[in-house]
Amino acid sequence: MATCYRHPSRETGVSCSNCGRPICPDCMTTTPVGMRCPECASQRTQVRRLREISTIPRVTYALLAINIVAFLTEQGQFSLTGTGIHGAVIQEGVLYRFAIAEGHEYWRLITAGFLHENFLHIGFNMYLLYLLGMMLEPAIGGVRFAVIYFTALLAGSFGALLATANPSLGASGAIFGLMGAAAVELRARRMSVMESGIGGLIVINLILSFSLANISVGAHVGGLIGGALAALAIRSADARGARALGLLACLAICVAAVAAAIAVSKVSGTGFA
């Protein structure tokens, strides 16, 4: 059984309804939205009108639309499992070391995350994006969801450049980041990561990443770590009543990922095969 975060010797089955930390009877404060810890109870609860509260995952839908539109603009990519990387959009947006190191084409760190090689590639990624977005975005809000997504995307781009000199593209780095963020959120709410299915999803996808050919393991692992770190930063800042601090921490992770990606590319940049 969990122990009170302020009194480690006391076991408790109650958690703060705001930050999720376990609290004992001496630390509980009854509020209209459940039991809260002393820190959260002292914070003013923002009052929102019902019409202002939305569970529609607008950011998820927007990301789905951007990925699909980008795929439809790719020339010569309308095949189920084709592996050729070609077409003007692909050439201008795919991620590889030489373009970052010599061409200073830093936009590729983001654009590669919205490009896909074939219908199977985009279909699998968009299915996972939809599932994770429907679960995570209503729980944490659209702004936090978007911040986590792009933090994971950039961390995944760094991981891809670190792991291989081959061209890389796809939203899987960002999607792995959403998996990591979902795991952090579940743990914060005292819920089992494995029983929720998220733990199994992460394990299965990691196994596939290391088992199948032409998979960017670096992007997957980098995105997973980046998304988890972003969620931890946001969660920790929210627990202390400093939301802006969490967003700034995510910005710092993004800056570090971009700087590391550029450094890796300059050290070991190679030509585009």
Side-chain angles (χ1 to χ4, degrees), residues 155-214:
S157 293
F158 161 61
L161 292 171
L162 179 65
T164 180
N166 294 328
S168 176
L169 74 170
S172 52
I175 291 169
F176 263 83
L178 296 182
M179 294 184 203
V184 169
E185 189 67 20
L186 287 167
R187 286 290 299 165
R189 294 173 185 242
R190 317 298 296 179
M191 299 170 67
S192 172
V193 177
M194 295 307 296
E195 290 180 3
S196 70
I198 292 298
L201 186 65
I202 292 174
V203 171
I204 291 172
N205 277 277
L206 283 176
I207 291 173
L208 292 175
S209 299
F210 284 96
S211 302
L212 301 178
N214 299 318

Side-chain angles (χ1 to χ4, degrees), residues 207-231:
I207 291 173
L208 292 175
S209 299
F210 284 96
S211 302
L212 301 178
N214 299 318
I215 298 293
S216 180
V217 176
H220 292 182
V221 174
L224 180 65
I225 295 173
L229 287 176

Side-chain angles (χ1 to χ4, degrees), residues 100-120:
I100 301 297
E102 301 297 330
H104 307 296
E105 298 172 358
Y106 304 135
W107 67 81
R108 295 176 183 268
L109 295 168
I110 293 179
T111 57
F114 291 95
L115 301 176
H116 292 84
E117 198 168 2
N118 49 58
F119 280 112
L120 187 63

Side-chain angles (χ1 to χ4, degrees), residues 95-102 161 164-167 265 268-273:
L95 180 66
Y96 61 102
R97 290 176 183 170
F98 185 79
I100 301 297
E102 301 297 330
L161 292 171
T164 180
N166 294 328
S265 298
S268 54
T270 61
F272 177 45

